[in-house]
Amino acid sequence: MSPTIKVVQPTGLLDGSKANQVRREINECLEGGTQIVLLDLKDVTFIDSSGLGSLVSALKTVRSSGAKMLICSISDQVRILFELTSMDRVFKVYANREEFEKEMASNPEISPASKTAIEGKSARDD
């Protein structure tokens, strides 16, 4: 059986209020039975301390529900923040969505049909 994968893709500055919106979207995914949440940060320009704290909180929520949260497409600035705070050891980070999909396709527990199960959500700037 293929896991359900949902993509959440915030944009701009990931501060406390935007991170709370992302957490709500992740919670909705979990309530819908999602087993893997991919947080695609390609359009995030900066993460402040409250945004980083919210990501850690979201990760705890995801793990407690028995699901996984993975991250892809971080900018150099976000990568430096992750390295300085050791979050690169906490989160599984993929270079981009293609790398994530390639690993999912090569995982024997996930059939190629799961590619059609990947659905995107987007936390846009208001």
Side-chain angles (χ1 to χ4, degrees):
M1 184 174 135
S2 298
T4 305
I5 302 169
K6 298 277 185 166
V7 179
V8 177
Q9 188 173 342
T11 61
L13 173 67
L14 193 57
D15 58 6
S17 62
K18 178 65 72 70
N20 285 333
Q21 179 182 356
V22 169
R23 284 178 51 206
R24 283 191 300 274
E25 287 186 27
I26 290 171
N27 286 337
E28 289 172 11
C29 292
L30 296 173
E31 290 168 4
T34 298
Q35 297 158 317
I36 298 174
V37 176
L38 177 64
L39 191 57
D40 187 339
L41 299 180
K42 74 176 185 176
D43 296 325
V44 171
T45 55
F46 183 76
I47 301 176
D48 70 7
S49 59
S50 58
L52 191 60
S54 290
L55 290 181
V56 172
S57 176
L59 178 63
K60 289 179 181 180
T61 300
V62 169
R63 285 182 176 169
S64 70
S65 75
K68 294 181 181 180
M69 185 170 106
L70 310 167
I71 295 178
C72 74
S73 307
I74 61 175
S75 68
D76 288 338
Q77 190 169 20
V78 172
R79 182 175 308 283
I80 290 169
L81 174 67
F82 274 35
E83 290 171 357
L84 288 173
T85 58
S86 298
M87 289 297 109
D88 58 332
R89 295 182 188 150
V90 174
F91 293 103
K92 171 69 175 162
V93 180
Y94 295 91
N96 51 47
R97 199 180 294 193
E98 293 76 26
E99 182 181 295
F100 164 79
E101 290 172 355
K102 184 178 178 181
E103 184 166 319
M104 293 297 106
S106 68
N107 186 328
E109 294 179 2
I110 300 174
S111 71
S114 69
K115 286 186 177 183
T116 59
I118 298 174
E119 299 176 20
K121 290 184 74 84
S122 180
R124 299 282 179 209
D125 287 340
D126 293 326

